[in-house]
């Protein structure tokens, strides 16, 4: 089976000019040198676990370009016949300073689509230029695609366009109105067994099973192991492996006490811009069925 592919974009020298919406402004203390080091260490965690790490062309003029997850979305084909192939979707941000990120992301998506038999979609082409969606607002849990219906970066037309693609390949799309956080995945992500984890109050009404974690930085987890390994494993937890921010030691301890294996990595410089471990990459799983 093809190795999972991790798409990343190196941080811009202008990183400290990135957007800030919901957290207090600590951008003056941001070190671009430390950010570059943390980014390299982040990519090395995946390299060390067999991921094929591919760099999207640098976009030094785009302060937030490192948050590549917002520009591209990978969806495995989960349709019954699995005859459609995976989808890679070029997102459409409403943030003017982030729009320039899309042309280089598109070029990368074309290469990945050709290499892995994926179908390339453009949200803008499907929903029109007013259809907006950022990848941070999308959380996949099995066959359900949760999408933020209460934020400022994704709108109804964007959700409709996503639905028209996702339903063709076996997913249902469910809107979750998140307020007070930049993206859906700033508020929740999911463990490999489908448990959604979050920190803000009120989220348990939307997800079952749901686990409240003790730190805001602890809500972001990325799954390191290919999902096939999990599906065929006798002991799902023994096979799973999560990447998390080292800013959330109490959440790490909680998840470890529940049997999950966790590797932590420093992403402090990206957290100053409302980034996290999920938004620094797009995880593509060619050949995967989950
Ligand atoms: N998916 C994500 O969580 N992206 C983080 C984007 C942070 C960036 N400063 C922004 O506001 O767009």
């Amino acid at each position: 089976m093809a190795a999972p592919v991790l798409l990343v974009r190196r941080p811009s020298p202008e990183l400290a000019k990135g957007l800030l919406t919901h957290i207090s402004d600590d951008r003056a203390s941001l070190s671009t040198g430390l950010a570059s080091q943390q980014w390299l260490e982040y990519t090395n965690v995946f390299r060390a676990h067999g991921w094929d790490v591919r760099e999207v062309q640098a976009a030094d003029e785009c302060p937030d370009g490192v948050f590549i997850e917002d520009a591209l979305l990978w969806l495995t084909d989960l349709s019954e016949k699995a005859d459609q192939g995976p989808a890679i979707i070029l997102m459409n941000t409403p943030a003017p300073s982030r729009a320039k990120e899309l042309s280089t992301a598109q070029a990368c998506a074309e290469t990945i689509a050709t290499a892995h038999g994926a179908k390339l979609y453009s949200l803008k082409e499907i929903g029109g230029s007013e259809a907006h969606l950022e990848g941070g607002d999308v959380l996949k849990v099995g066959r359900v695609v949760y999408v933020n219906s209460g934020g400022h970066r994704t709108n109804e037309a964007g959700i409709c366009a996503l639905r028209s693609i996702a339903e063709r390949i076996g997913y249902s799309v469910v809107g979750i109105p998140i307020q007070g956080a930049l993206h859906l995945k700033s508020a929740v992500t999911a463990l490999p067994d489908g448990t959604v984890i979050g920190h803000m109050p009120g989220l348990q009404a939307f997800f079952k099973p749901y686990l409240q974690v003790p730190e805001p930085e602890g809500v972001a987890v990325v799954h390191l192991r290919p999902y096939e390994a999990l599906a065929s494993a006798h002991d799902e937890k023994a096979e799973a492996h999560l990447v998390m921010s080292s800013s959330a030691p109490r959440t790490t301890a909680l998840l470890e006490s529940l049997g999950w294996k966790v590797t932590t990595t420093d992403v402090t410089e990206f957290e100053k811009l409302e980034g996290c471990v999920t938004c620094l990459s797009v995880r593509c799983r060619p050949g995967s069925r989950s």
Side-chain angles (χ1 to χ4, degrees), residues 150-199:
H152 299 292
R153 301 287 182 87
T154 290
N155 60 14
E156 199 45 47
I159 296 173
C160 280
L162 174 66
R163 183 174 281 119
S164 74
I165 303 165
E167 284 185 346
R168 261 180 248 170
I169 52 173
Y171 297 86
S172 58
V173 174
V174 176
I176 303 286
I178 295 290
Q179 255 129 38
L182 177 60
H183 286 127
L184 175 64
K185 284 204 293 267
S186 319
V188 286
T189 63
L191 299 172
D193 67 359
T195 303
V196 172
I197 63 170
H199 174 73

Side-chain angles (χ1 to χ4, degrees), residues 69-76 86-92 119-128 130-141 143-149 153-176 184-185:
E69 176 186 66
D70 294 326
L72 293 172
L73 176 69
W74 173 275
L75 289 180
T76 297
I88 186 159
I89 310 170
L90 182 67
M91 304 274 98
N92 189 29
K119 200 157 176 184
L120 173 60
Y121 296 91
S122 156
L123 196 92
K124 206 197 278 189
E125 274 169 24
I126 291 176
E130 294 310 308
H132 293 299
L133 181 64
E134 289 189 354
D137 273 332
V138 178
L139 173 67
K140 295 173 273 178
V141 184
R143 291 175 180 275
V144 180
V145 174
Y146 293 106
V147 56
N148 187 2
S149 57
R153 301 287 182 87
T154 290
N155 60 14
E156 199 45 47
I159 296 173
C160 280
L162 174 66
R163 183 174 281 119
S164 74
I165 303 165
E167 284 185 346
R168 261 180 248 170
I169 52 173
Y171 297 86
S172 58
V173 174
V174 176
I176 303 286
L184 175 64
K185 284 204 293 267

Side-chain angles (χ1 to χ4, degrees), residues 8-18 26-44 62-67 265-273 275-276 280:
V8 291
R9 169 147 47 203
R10 58 183 56 239
S12 153
E14 307 290 324
L15 182 66
K17 294 184 184 151
D26 193 18
R27 286 175 291 187
S29 76
L30 195 151
S31 157
T32 48
L34 180 57
S36 296
Q37 191 186 319
Q38 292 181 344
W39 178 82
L40 194 63
E41 284 164 12
Y42 172 87
T43 61
N44 281 340
C62 300
D64 284 309
V66 68
F67 303 117
T265 190
D266 285 342
V267 286
T268 55
E269 303 313 280
F270 305 106
E271 286 167 346
K272 290 173 186 171
L273 292 168
C276 58
L280 292 174

Side-chain angles (χ1 to χ4, degrees), residues 214-229:
E215 295 138 318
E217 297 86 354
V219 305
V221 300
V222 174
H223 308 171
L224 253 189
R225 294 288 304 263
Y227 290 1
E228 279 71 24

